Amino acid sequence: AARKGLSHSRNNEWWQAQNAFRTAFSLWKGALPEDIFRSEQVLSFNDMLLDQLVEIAIVWSKSRASAGKMEEAIAIVEQVLQINYLEENLTILLYRFHLQNNNPLQANGTLEQYRKALVKADYTEQEISSFIDEITRRDGLKALSGSSIVVH
């Protein structure tokens, strides 16, 4: 379902893509438990599934945002971030969606959640500050230049 949805999205067949994405999301039951499956193949397959889930979230949420359905776009990204809370690209996308939706409080909340996830994953304070600064500097420069924040 995931591959089918991504294929439809590349062909700008958004109705079919969204149906396939909904199916893929409904079938997702979580990552394979790494403590049980220690095989390199299984771990690699698990990573591939997570990467595909992230790709779906990016493609689908951008589609919803460009259609003026920002709340749907935000919900899609938040759903995948609950599964893969260290995903930087989704964090950046959610941050931008909140800014684009004129909700700087939620944007800052997104950064705070990301900070907590990085702390939990044992990143140093210097690394965490660097990640957060990069996100805010990039979007801050866009805001200062007078251009509106565009979802990439």
Side-chain angles (χ1 to χ4, degrees):
R3 287 187 185 132
K4 187 186 238 184
L6 291 169
S7 175
H8 284 301
S9 71
R10 284 189 283 277
N11 294 326
N12 286 321
E13 299 166 340
W14 290 106
W15 183 80
Q16 294 92 331
Q18 289 180 55
N19 286 335
F21 292 157
R22 280 189 182 94
T23 300
F25 268 58
S26 72
L27 293 173
W28 181 263
K29 302 299 179 207
L32 300 172
E34 292 182 15
D35 54 338
I36 295 173
F37 299 105
R38 293 180 188 247
S39 152
E40 191 61 38
Q41 278 184 307
V42 172
L43 295 177
S44 177
F45 180 69
N46 192 51
D47 288 345
M48 184 204 64
L49 289 175
L50 284 171
D51 289 345
Q52 204 160 52
L53 189 65
V54 168
E55 186 179 359
I56 287 171
I58 290 170
V59 170
W60 192 12
S61 65
K62 285 181 179 182
S63 166
R64 300 316 297 151
S66 67
K69 306 286 187 182
M70 190 59 76
E71 295 303 320
E72 287 180 32
I74 289 169
I76 291 165
V77 174
E78 286 176 339
Q79 184 177 355
V80 178
L81 276 174
Q82 288 176 1
I83 297 164
N84 193 357
Y85 52 87
L86 289 174
E87 176 53 50
E88 183 178 15
N89 292 324
L90 288 179
T91 300
I92 292 168
L93 191 56
L94 183 59
Y95 176 76
R96 289 180 179 168
F97 282 164
H98 283 308
L99 289 178
Q100 196 172 17
N101 207 27
N102 294 322
N103 198 335
L105 246 102
Q106 287 287 54
N108 287 334
T110 297
L111 294 179
E112 187 54 35
Q113 286 178 327
Y114 188 51
R115 176 181 295 283
K116 288 177 183 175
L118 292 169
V119 166
K120 188 176 179 180
D122 293 327
Y123 283 84
T124 67
E125 191 56 42
Q126 183 178 2
E127 290 170 319
I128 294 168
S129 292
S130 175
F131 292 148
I132 301 292
D133 289 347
E134 177 63 25
I135 293 169
T136 56
R137 189 181 82 238
R138 235 184 311 182
D139 287 306
L141 290 175
K142 288 180 186 176
L144 288 175
S145 71
S147 63
S148 61
I149 296 172
V150 177
V151 179
H152 300 284

